[in-house]
Amino acid sequence: MNKPLQRTQLNTLLTVSLLSPLIRQMPTAVVRSAGAGAWLSALPAVPVLLALGWMNCDLLRGRDLFTALEQSFGRRLGRVFVWLITGWLLFYLGFVLRSGADRFVTTVYPEHSVWVFVAVLSAMALIIQTGTLRQLGRMGQAVEPFLLFFFLVLPFLVLPQVEWAQVRPEKGDLPGLLRGIFPIADTLCVAVYGGFLEDRTEGECSLSSLLRPLLALTALTALLCLSTVGVFGVSLTEELYYPFFVLLRNVQLTGFLERVEAALVAQWAAVDLILCSLLLWICQRNLSRLGFFPERKGIRLGLCLLLALSAALLCAGSSYALLQLTERVVPPVNAALVFVLVPLCWGVGKVKSRG
């Protein structure tokens, strides 16, 4: 069968998509756990994520996550888990729509309603569903260079302003640095859900193919923490909603851009759109494979978007409530699904294959 996605396209889509939760949660989540040395937490996070990546690739060898769950737990229980994950991803889609809109209103457009941005982002994600999966992959490849410029190169321009005494970890702060691993690993583990598209991707998942994007994203996390804490300090970084945006909005690039604010907002919109499109694609396809209107993609898309918009409406009543959701609900649920269910699926599958 001619599979629509190349391995590099899927990895690019996942990398670009991860920038959405990364810039939403970093560096604040890591700083609250690790303090001044938060940027160092990215180093021990690498082996944790590599171990998860190896296990995930071994689990998906020759199959996708849907099939792996069925084969490990049996068809009935496996499909229960697929329903569970799909339901969570629909809620997460609504959360991404709402949090992305809230970010625009909080930082740039305070006079607008969040629902204007929710509606626009939803409509654009729906339009993308009329194309093919390969076209979505090409879209990810098209925007990746610009995203990497803004989120990897621009922070280096801030480094001359960093007060290095503010990013020096204190003695005996090793427990804090280790606690900082969790928000990093929990944010980047969202890529595991891409396993539902494995059967539509050419070539097998391999740890070597994941190494470059993993190192790039962990380096970005370290750079976000280093530049933001180095300029604002720990206390102010913890209090600001989007400290990295506040930092970069005043960066001036002589002869290129007077201010990066407009371009940075455009990058935010791009990563949110690709993440929402990818989640919508996975959810409607899972419903099809579960036997829910398999020949009626329009009905599945409409239902998925309706449920996601309901989640966006009901998940939080204010920016503060949304922040609490970001800190206290989304991370533990993601951790339970990825760091418990996936290893359990892998372990049960290994036992069955040896039996």
Side-chain angles (χ1 to χ4, degrees), residues 114-278:
V114 294
W115 300 110
V116 173
F117 298 99
V118 168
V120 171
L121 190 57
S122 301
M124 293 178 68
L126 192 59
I127 291 172
I128 288 176
Q129 301 302 306
T130 62
T132 65
L133 196 53
R134 185 179 290 271
Q135 287 172 332
L136 180 59
R138 288 172 179 167
M139 179 181 174
Q141 289 178 315
V143 302
E144 184 186 34
F146 300 99
L147 294 172
L148 291 179
F149 171 78
F150 274 91
F151 295 119
L152 281 177
V153 176
L154 283 182
F156 277 102
L157 300 178
V158 182
L159 292 183
Q161 305 174 36
V162 168
E163 295 184 19
W164 296 100
Q166 295 191 134
V167 295
R168 188 179 301 121
E170 300 178 0
K171 291 182 179 180
D173 204 25
L174 180 60
L177 298 181
L178 294 178
R179 285 194 301 270
I181 296 174
F182 176 76
I184 298 173
D186 185 73
T187 300
L188 299 183
C189 77
V190 173
V192 168
Y193 301 127
F196 284 112
L197 298 177
E198 196 67 25
D199 65 320
R200 307 291 289 162
T201 306
E202 295 177 352
E204 289 190 348
C205 177
S206 67
L207 192 59
S208 59
S209 68
L210 300 176
L211 189 59
R212 185 186 69 87
L214 172 60
L215 292 178
L217 290 169
T218 50
L220 172 59
T221 301
L223 196 54
L224 293 181
C225 295
L226 181 67
S227 58
T228 308
V229 176
V231 173
F232 292 142
V234 173
S235 298
L236 184 56
T237 300
E238 290 179 342
E239 292 176 4
L240 292 172
Y241 274 163
Y242 303 107
F244 185 63
F245 176 79
V246 176
L247 184 67
L248 286 191
R249 71 188 304 174
N250 295 316
V251 171
Q252 296 185 4
L253 302 178
T254 305
F256 179 59
L257 290 174
E258 287 300 318
R259 295 174 70 86
V260 300
E261 180 178 305
L264 189 58
V265 169
Q267 308 310 308
W268 272 357
V271 296
D272 284 347
L273 177 59
I274 291 178
L275 176 58
C276 290
S277 301
L278 191 62

Side-chain angles (χ1 to χ4, degrees), residues 330-350:
V330 174
V333 175
N334 261 331
L337 291 176
V338 175
F339 288 103
V340 177
L341 182 58
V342 170
L344 181 61
C345 180
W346 175 80
V348 171
K350 286 295 183 184

